[in-house]
Each structure stands twice: as structure tokens, then as C-alpha cells.
Amino acid sequence: MPRLSVIIPCFMVQGFLRECLDSVLEQSLHDIEVIAVDDRSPDGCGAILDEYAARDPRVKVLHLPENVGLGRARNAGLPHATGDFLLFLDSDDTLTPGALRAIADRLAETGDPDVLVFDYARTYWWGGTRRNALAEVLSSADGVFTAAERPEVLDLLMVVWNKAYRRGFVEENGFQFPPGYYEDTPWTFPVMLSAARIATLDRICLNYRQRRQGNILSTTSRKHFDVHEQYKRVFAFVDARPELAGWRPYLHRKMGEHCLDILAKPDRLPPAARGEFFQRTAELYRAFRPEGADLGVLGGSYASYRLRERAGRAGRAGGRQALRVRRAAGARARRALTGLHGLRPLDEELVLYSAASHQGLRGDPAAVYRAAREIAPGLRGVWVVRDAEVAAELPAGVEHVLLDSPQYLRLTARAKFFVNDVNWPGTLVKRPGSVHVHTHRGTPLKYVGADLLGKPGARLGFDVPQMLRRADRWDHSLVANRHSELVWERAYPCHFASARTGSPRNDVLVTGGPTDFRARHGIPADHTVVLYAPTRRDYVRGGHVDRIDLAQFAADLGEGHTLVVRLHPGLATGPARGMGLAELHRRGIVVDATGEPHAEEVMLASDALVTDYSSLMFDYANLDRPIVVHADDWAAYTASRGAYLDITAEAPGHVSRSYRELAWLFASGSWRDEESARLRADFRCRFCEFDDGRAAERVVRTLLLGESTPEPTRVPGPAGARDLLAST
């Protein structure tokens, strides 16, 4: 008996079907069966299913004699399922890698609940991906519960395909799908209200394809009237079970919202049928009205509903116009205010700091700020933060202003010094005499700045000329090595001076500062901590590609090891962490350090780094600890983004080009052998050249106070090292 049965009804999806089936059959969990139902599809679906069944015994194919529709096609597959749990997958959607393993593990962890609800992401035909907006409902639930105990679970999309169902529970209750559109409604509500044990999985297990055309529910048809019959079935189910009577007000409200949502969509109903649909909805709403419930808009006529809708649209349009007017007026006011304050002399002791697009004390600016407070207490350091939420996270005693606030405008008009690791907003006007110190965000491996002009995929949505106009304000560009100096001068053809100071944020790596990262995450003191820090990819929209199976890598590292994962900061708030990382962190298989604000603390807590093409490797080399470069897609990466050097030929340690090679490096101990140490030493000599532990002090004394300081104590360069960039 397989653990999971995946039921896939198929009709007119030959262009998507192979991708769907591959996403199931290539899962790491093999204890499954696939019940594929050919709903008398007139295209090539039936032949594709037979082809897969012929080569994989886990696939069973049913060819229906006539087309019965999505719900009844699912019903046809149910008697043939033998798995402990049932999943329903639409044939144009796909499972994410590792999804079934994660589902099976969570089912075991929660003691085989009646229903397991998991997360999904919408994937659009133009390449975009958007995670379920209510994902926090899944992460906040622990253990098992009922819908009555956690009713917010019903706010999730009420569909059949984001859940796994215990087959015995389904059979005991005789759940079936009705005919017609919106067949998920009279399945999902009865199932969720009847389940005695519900669990959740905070992981994106399914990609919900948003087709440009061909989606049945986006087809203009009178079949959308089926939604009324589906809700009648839901209320009939509740009425037959007195213990569920308390759910009637909730279901009544949901029914009204659902029907009005269908009416509001322009592509669902024929124009001539819209009034009739409203009338039938209102009749149904009155028929099932709980005592004391307000009928709202459905208590009036269709004409009044249309007037209200038109007024709402006009109000929204007017609001947008008013917002544009307010923004234009605000811009004029800001320019006037800035000009007014600009008449006053510069404040020679005022330093404005910002980091990571105004996200608080981070990176190089934070290191300079701390050094300035110690060395030059007469300087007034003020941080520019993007919102009140970031401001609330600042340490006590740190002066700050909110971006674009009146106080921000007053300070930017008078500050002598500006320290930032990304460009200041374009609205900031550089006054004569002010000094802009640009720290950058690490040693560059991949193309940046003007070099992106030849890489259209990498600069999607990135305005290079605008970026260069902002970079024209730089006075000083910090460098940690001569390689960076050459890159910045080429990639940013602007008027600035290179400052060979080293990277201030790396001072703590050179001097060996403290970190409580292990203690905060419960990592045993005797564990070998392997930090995995992949970068984003420009050849996929969204930037995230799972290059390795994190759970497998953690298992292969073995006892006495902890795998810490830190995704690229640009992926911290997208769907990438929901593809499995958050769930693995919750289960203690890996530690997710993506949200840690200070990368230096994570690096200090680790014993080795595995990365692909992240600039983190240049910082990490200061620790003189083993580094492994996992370069399994180097050709694709360089073709899409471009690189200033061949990191596979000039690596800071061993290079793996497949997961098998990566696992072998750690299993054999080669990751820290003599050759690894030799490669790392050469790399450090070249790319940690000016990092001597005093970079922040050097920036303060030379660039803020105007003092003269000795040149950095340089690490001798390796024999034959070249200060030349890779050919473009």
C-alpha cells in the first residue's frame, strides 16, 4: 500500500501534462501511486498518459467513456486509490521539488491527521511567482486542531488541491465531488468542518498555474450560475448535522462574498445574465439568512448594486488621481523645503547613514558608525530608515529619521557627510561641499553598473543611466582590494576617488569578534557548522533556484554537523523560503539564517562555507576557514549575468560541479585538506588585500576627520597574481 495516492484528472491540457506528471514522478518520495483520469479529452492527453503508464508502474490510467467534468473525473479515480492519503492535482499545475517528502514527513510528525493543509504559489504565464498571501496562517499553527479551534484556516483558499486527505476519513464520510463549476466548494467546506484533526505544513508544495487563457473559471458562461447549487449543497450538509449549526453565519457570509466576487469579475458572466445572477444570489442569501444577519448590498436591487459599484470605481479612480496630485505637491514642497534649508551652511559635524535600502544598522555603514562614536564623539550620526517598523528595531540611543519625512529633508539639506552602501534616492540633491562615502556591498564577482548594459536579462527593471546619475554624487569609493578598485572604476564611470581602506564590516572577521548565533539557535558547541550561502540567479524570474536538496545535504553531513542556510538578501521576503527552507528550519533539520541582519555574526559562528557565486566568499576568506564553491551551473550563470573572473579557476577552495562531488568533498574530508588551505591562502592574498581589521577606523579618520593614517597592512600577493579583469 503506497503512502500517497495522487489523483490527476485530465482534459485538454496536452501542453502542460508532461510537466505535471514529471513533477510528481520525479519526487524524492517514491512510495506513491498516480491515478490519472482521462476525462475523454479530445487532444493527446490519453496517449501521453498511456506512455507514462507503460514506463512507470506507479501510474494507473483510467479512460472515461464520456466527458464528465472535473469533479466527477476525480470521483472516478477515488475507488482506485490505495494510498494512506489522497492528493488531488490539476493537470496544468505542478508539485515543487521535495513536496511529497515534506508532506509525508509532516503527516508522520502530526500522527496522520484527517487533513493536512499545505502552501502554494501562483505562477503566472509571464514568469512571475506570488506566494499565498495568507501563508502566516500555516506557520502559526502547531500540532493538530479543528476548524472550530482555529477558524482562520478557513480563510485560506477553499480548494481541493492544497490539502492531503486521509483516505479512511474520506471513505468513512462518503465525500464526493458534485458536477458543475465550483465543485471544490461542497467538498472543501464539509471536509474541513468534519475533520477532527487538521494539521498544516508551512511549505510551498504546489505551483498553481495562472494561464493566460484556457482557464475554465475565466471563461464567460452561464455555467458560473452553478455556484448557487454548490452552496445549497454546503448548507444541506450542515443542516443534516446539528453539531455544525454554529457555522451557518460564517457560511452565509462566505457565500455572499464568493458570489459577489464572481459578479465583479468582467470575464465570468455574459453581460445579459449579470442582473439575473445578482437576483438569484440575493434570493439564496435571503433563503439561508441567519437570524439577525444584515443583507447588505444583496438586500437591494441590481440597479442600486451597479450604482454602488460605479461609485466605488469612480472613488478609486479619484483616489488614485488625488494620490498623484498629493505626490506632486509633496515633491514641490520637498524641493522648496530643501532649498530653504540649503541656504544655511553645512553642518560640519552631521553624518547621515543608511544601509541596505534604509533597513537599519547593517554592513559597512554600521561599522563606520560604531567606529565614529568611539573615535569622534563630536560627530552627530543619524540613521535614515524606511519606516517605523525598522525604526523600532534600532538599538536604544540611535538617532534616526524616517525617509522622506520633514526632518529627513532638513537633515539631508545640511549634512556634511553621507555614508551608504547603496545609492541615495534620486530626489536627494548633493550640495557643494558635502561628502558622499559609498561603501558598496562586497567584492564584485558578477557584473554590476554599466557592465550590465550588455546583459539585458540581468538588468531587467534596472535603470543603468539613472543609477549612474546617482553615483555621480559619490566622492569616495571604498575598496578592499585592487580587483574591486578596477571594477568600480570601470562599472561606475563617475568622478570619485578610490579609498583603499578595506571593508569596515570585515574588521570583526579579521579581529575575531564575538557572536551569540550558536546559542540563539541552540547549536551545540562541539558541532561543525557548515554555512550554505547561495546567490540569486538572473536566468530565472524571481531569482531563486534550488541547486541542492537541503535535507539531503544536512543528512549527508552526518552527526555532529549543523547546516546553516542563508539565502541572498533579495530573496528574504519572496517565496524562496517557503519552498522548504522555513519548514526544514521548524523541524530542526537546518538553521535558516536568511533573516539575520548581520551576516558577520553568522560567518563567525560557522566552520566552513559552501557557496556558489555569492560575494560572501570574499568576506569569509578573512576568517581563513575552508570554502567550497558549488558551481554546477557556472556556464548558465555567467552567460546570463557575466563575471569578472572565472571563480572555478581561481577558487578559494575546492570546486564541486555536481551534488555528488559536493557530498564527497565533505564525506572524504577533502573540504579542509592541504590543497584547500593552499587555494584559500592565494585567494586571501589577492582579495583580502586591504582588510587588516582597522578599515572602519581608517574611514573615520581619513574621510570624516581629514586625518592622515598609514596605508593598510597588506597581505603579500601570490606569485603571478593578476590585477586584470576577465575579458568581456
Side-chain angles (χ1 to χ4, degrees):
M1 178 185 299
R3 183 61 169 161
L4 303 177
S5 294
V6 184
I7 298 175
I8 307 176
C10 307
F11 182 78
M12 294 290 290
V13 287
Q14 63 180 9
F16 306 109
L17 184 53
R18 292 182 186 276
E19 184 181 1
C20 172
L21 294 171
D22 289 342
S23 77
V24 178
L25 299 174
E26 294 175 3
Q27 291 279 316
S28 57
L29 180 73
H30 297 286
D31 189 17
I32 65 171
E33 66 177 0
V34 175
I35 313 298
V37 183
D38 171 18
D39 189 18
R40 194 65 177 177
S41 184
D43 61 0
C45 285
I48 293 172
L49 294 179
D50 289 340
E51 173 192 328
Y52 274 77
R55 67 172 185 248
D56 194 322
R58 296 175 297 171
V59 179
K60 303 176 184 177
V61 179
L62 303 178
H63 294 284
L64 302 185
E66 60 180 356
N67 176 252
V68 297
L70 181 58
R72 289 183 170 179
R74 289 170 178 159
N75 291 341
L78 278 171
H80 299 271
T82 62
D84 298 329
F85 282 83
L86 306 171
L87 286 91
F88 297 93
L89 178 63
D90 288 352
S91 46
D92 55 351
D93 296 336
T94 57
L95 297 179
T96 60
L100 295 185
R101 171 64 66 186
I103 289 171
D105 288 346
R106 183 61 172 158
L107 289 171
E109 182 183 19
T110 52
D112 285 8
D114 295 330
V115 182
L116 175 71
V117 187
F118 48 80
D119 205 3
Y120 66 92
R122 284 180 166 88
T123 56
Y124 295 87
W125 61 269
W126 42 265
T129 299
R130 182 165 61 89
R131 188 178 186 182
N132 164 31
L134 296 177
E136 70 275 3
V137 173
L138 300 173
S139 62
S140 63
D142 192 21
V144 294
F145 55 89
T146 64
E149 292 168 338
R150 298 190 68 91
E152 62 269 22
V153 75
L154 298 180
D155 292 332
L156 296 166
L157 192 62
M158 284 287 100
V159 290
V160 65
W161 42 254
N162 63 347
K163 304 171 184 72
Y165 311 87
R166 185 169 59 82
R167 183 165 59 89
F169 166 68
V170 171
E171 292 174 349
E172 290 160 10
N173 287 273
F175 294 124
Q176 290 276 302
F177 291 93
Y181 281 16
Y182 305 102
E183 72 291 330
D184 284 6
T185 299
W187 166 283
T188 307
F189 280 118
V191 164
M192 294 297 287
L193 298 182
S194 301
R197 302 177 73 249
I198 302 171
T200 60
L201 171 60
D202 180 22
R203 186 193 194 279
I204 297 173
C205 294
L206 182 141
N207 287 323
Y208 176 28
R209 189 187 300 273
Q210 306 295 289
R211 293 162 65 174
R212 184 170 182 269
Q213 55 184 351
N215 186 325
I216 291 177
L217 290 184
S218 295
T219 303
T220 302
S221 168
R222 285 186 61 88
K223 290 185 177 180
H224 292 283
F225 280 76
D226 288 350
V227 70
H228 300 133
E229 292 302 316
Q230 306 297 21
Y231 273 101
K232 288 180 182 178
R233 292 184 173 99
V234 173
F235 278 99
F237 181 88
V238 171
D239 290 344
R241 293 160 178 78
E243 69 275 12
L244 299 180
W247 286 104
R248 286 181 60 88
Y250 172 84
L251 293 171
H252 182 256
R253 177 173 59 84
K254 275 290 188 182
M255 176 180 66
E257 292 174 352
H258 193 175
C259 292
L260 288 176
D261 181 64
I262 295 170
L263 184 61
K265 287 183 165 56
D267 59 351
R268 299 291 173 91
L269 295 161
R274 296 174 64 82
E276 181 186 354
F277 185 89
F278 177 89
Q279 189 60 37
R280 288 201 190 179
T281 298
E283 292 171 359
L284 196 66
Y285 206 59
R286 285 192 292 270
F288 291 107
R289 176 187 181 184
E291 184 177 351
D294 182 13
L295 292 175
V297 66
L298 287 168
S301 66
Y302 179 57
S304 63
Y305 164 79
R306 290 188 65 189
L307 287 173
R308 183 176 298 192
E309 283 297 291
R310 288 172 182 171
R313 287 196 296 271
R316 289 189 292 271
R320 289 192 293 269
Q321 178 62 24
L323 179 61
R324 287 193 289 269
V325 171
R326 288 196 300 271
R327 285 176 174 172
R332 289 193 297 270
R334 286 194 295 271
R335 287 195 294 270
L337 186 59
T338 300
L340 179 63
H341 290 289
L343 297 175
R344 302 172 62 187
L346 293 175
D347 185 339
E348 299 288 330
E349 295 183 341
L350 177 57
V351 187
L352 292 190
Y353 295 91
S354 180
S357 298
H358 319 299
Q359 294 188 65
L361 271 73
R362 300 189 182 193
D364 290 311
V368 174
Y369 169 77
R370 287 190 289 265
R373 294 189 69 172
E374 180 179 343
I375 298 168
L379 293 177
R380 177 191 175 193
V382 181
W383 279 86
V384 177
V385 296
R386 67 184 181 189
D387 53 36
E389 183 178 350
V390 174
E393 297 174 353
L394 294 174
V398 175
E399 187 177 357
H400 66 275
V401 294
L402 298 184
L403 182 68
D404 285 337
S405 65
Q407 179 68 356
Y408 163 82
L409 297 175
R410 286 192 289 270
L411 293 180
T412 53
R414 297 207 55 215
K416 170 72 173 184
F417 301 102
F418 295 78
V419 181
N420 203 341
D421 59 2
V422 294
N423 270 315
W424 292 94
T427 54
L428 190 152
V429 178
K430 185 180 191 298
R431 286 187 62 185
S434 64
V435 177
H436 283 240
V437 178
H438 194 77
T439 71
H440 301 283
R441 302 184 73 182
T443 294
L445 170 61
K446 54 196 173 192
Y447 279 10
V448 294
D451 288 331
L452 290 175
L453 290 171
K455 296 291 181 181
R459 59 180 171 84
L460 181 66
F462 181 65
D463 189 334
V464 174
Q466 181 188 72
M467 178 272 301
L468 293 178
R469 286 192 294 271
R470 295 181 181 185
D472 283 332
R473 296 175 298 199
W474 301 353
D475 293 289
H476 302 285
S477 166
L478 305 192
V479 299
N481 48 66
R482 282 170 285 182
H483 164 82
S484 295
E485 188 172 352
L486 287 167
V487 169
W488 302 143
E489 291 179 3
R490 176 176 115 173
Y492 300 102
C494 307
H495 297 288
F496 59 80
S498 292
R500 294 183 172 184
T501 58
S503 294
R505 71 181 185 283
N506 287 344
D507 288 347
V508 69
L509 302 181
V510 177
T511 58
T515 176
D516 65 348
F517 178 82
R518 288 194 181 215
R520 283 190 287 111
H521 290 280
I523 301 174
D526 60 344
H527 268 215
T528 298
V529 174
V530 177
L531 171 60
Y532 175 53
T535 192
R536 59 180 295 125
R537 298 316 198 259
D538 294 289
Y539 58 77
V540 294
R541 188 181 291 271
H544 178 67
V545 178
D546 282 319
R547 304 309 309 174
I548 64 175
D549 184 328
L550 297 177
Q552 185 64 52
F553 189 32
D556 289 342
L557 287 174
E559 293 292 330
H561 292 75
T562 295
L563 178 62
V564 175
V565 181
R566 183 178 176 83
L567 300 181
H568 186 280
L571 301 174
T573 57
R577 295 166 80 179
M579 297 296 284
L581 180 55
E583 173 65 8
L584 293 175
H585 175 83
R586 185 195 65 79
R587 292 169 55 198
I589 294 174
V590 305
V591 173
D592 177 12
T594 305
E596 292 284 332
H598 306 296
E600 303 81 37
E601 294 187 8
V602 183
M603 289 189 278
L604 283 164
S606 67
D607 299 294
L609 170 68
V610 176
T611 186
D612 36 39
Y613 324 117
S614 171
S615 63
L616 200 74
M617 74 176 82
F618 297 96
D619 302 330
Y620 197 86
N622 282 286
L623 291 170
D624 196 19
R625 298 175 188 173
I627 302 173
V628 174
V629 175
H630 186 55
D632 65 332
D633 65 339
W634 177 243
Y637 184 84
T638 53
S640 61
R641 179 61 186 250
Y644 292 112
L645 59 103
D646 184 353
I647 198 63
T648 64
E650 303 176 74
H654 290 297
V655 177
S656 59
R657 297 184 182 275
S658 67
Y659 177 73
R660 182 177 180 181
E661 291 181 6
L662 176 63
W664 178 85
L665 284 171
F666 280 90
S668 66
S670 300
W671 61 282
R672 54 182 174 184
D673 61 12
E674 291 184 5
E675 177 64 7
S676 170
R678 183 190 68 77
L679 292 168
R680 186 168 68 253
D682 287 349
F683 192 84
R684 288 182 64 242
C685 286
R686 181 176 178 188
F687 296 108
C688 303
E689 187 177 5
F690 303 137
D691 281 335
D692 62 354
R694 300 183 61 190
E697 176 189 356
R698 191 172 294 110
V699 170
V700 174
R701 293 193 183 281
T702 60
L703 304 184
L704 303 186
L705 299 179
E707 301 175 0
S708 60
T709 61
E711 287 282 317
T713 305
R714 301 180 192 170
V715 179
R722 297 176 297 109
D723 288 315
L724 299 175
L725 302 180
S727 171
T728 60

